[in-house]
């Protein structure tokens, strides 16, 4: 029986980092022919942008690398701990907020830091919030996410 691994990427607003992580991961999963075994979604810990497409700056930077971001922002909720196998937090603040929501130790064990899967950015300990940054901030997010998603995919495939 084939098992499906369900991934939930989480940031603050769910309009920059986590929908980009979802798009990068989905691209890798489809390219490697794993789309029937790995599912991707994303959510935010803040609902101020609920229902919105990703930030236009993030969509533009992602599109230039071949990623089409179509997710609509949504708030994370406690039921997500049942639906997903791994919850990937972009920074410590997201990690701590999601941790406080976890209904059990088993649920808390599903939460990981996204940068823990980076291989070519060994010093990276968070995906920096690009919202108040210039174009370079969005490129940095994509550089880190491409690295982390590759590491995450390799980990799941093993
Ligand atoms: P994200 O970026 O958490 O990567 O989606 C942000 C989006 C919105 C805000 C902050 C960060 N905001 O303050 O509205």
């Amino acid at each position: 029986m084939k098992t499906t691994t369900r991934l939930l990427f989480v940031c603050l607003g769910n309009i920059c980092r986590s929908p980009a992580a979802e798009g990068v991961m989905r691209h890798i999963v489809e390219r490697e022919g794993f789309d029937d075994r790995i599912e991707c979604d994303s959510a935010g810990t803040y609902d101020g942008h609920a229902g919105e497409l990703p930030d236009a700056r993030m969509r533009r930077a992602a599109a230039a690398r071949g990623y089409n971001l179509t997710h609509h922002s949504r708030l994370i909720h406690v039921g997500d701990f049942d639906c997903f196998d791994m919850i990937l937090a972009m920074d410590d603040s997201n990690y701590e907020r999601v941790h406080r929501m976890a209904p059990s130790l088993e649920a808390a064990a599903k939460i990981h830091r996204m940068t823990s899967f980076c291989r070519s950015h060994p010093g990276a300990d968070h995906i920096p919030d690009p919202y108040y940054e210039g174009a370079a901030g969005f490129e940095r997010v994509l550089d880190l996410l491409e690295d982390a998603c590759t590491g995450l995919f390799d980990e799941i495939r093993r």
Side-chain angles (χ1 to χ4, degrees), residues 11-19 46 49 94 128-132:
C11 62
L12 174 62
N14 191 212
I15 54 168
C16 296
R17 294 165 290 174
S18 60
Y46 159 67
H49 296 275
N94 313 144
D129 181 351
Y131 194 68
Y132 296 104

Side-chain angles (χ1 to χ4, degrees), residues 32-59:
E32 301 296 324
F34 274 62
D35 30 335
D36 58 343
R37 277 166 281 176
I38 300 176
E39 292 178 7
C40 306
D41 192 6
S42 63
T45 59
Y46 159 67
D47 69 355
H49 296 275
E52 294 178 15
L53 277 170
D55 185 286
R57 298 165 296 171
M58 190 78 254
R59 275 188 283 150

Side-chain angles (χ1 to χ4, degrees), residues 37-102:
R37 277 166 281 176
I38 300 176
E39 292 178 7
C40 306
D41 192 6
S42 63
T45 59
Y46 159 67
D47 69 355
H49 296 275
E52 294 178 15
L53 277 170
D55 185 286
R57 298 165 296 171
M58 190 78 254
R59 275 188 283 150
R60 213 166 22 246
R65 298 188 190 205
Y67 311 116
N68 184 26
L69 307 185
T70 58
H71 177 80
H72 290 262
S73 175
R74 74 168 178 87
L75 191 62
I76 186 172
H77 58 89
V78 72
D80 287 321
F81 286 97
D82 289 331
C83 297
F84 293 93
D85 302 294
M86 295 177 80
I87 298 177
L88 293 313
M90 298 298 134
D91 64 26
D92 283 350
S93 166
N94 313 144
Y95 183 91
E96 280 152 25
R97 282 195 200 188
V98 176
H99 232 275
R100 282 198 291 275
M101 290 177 64

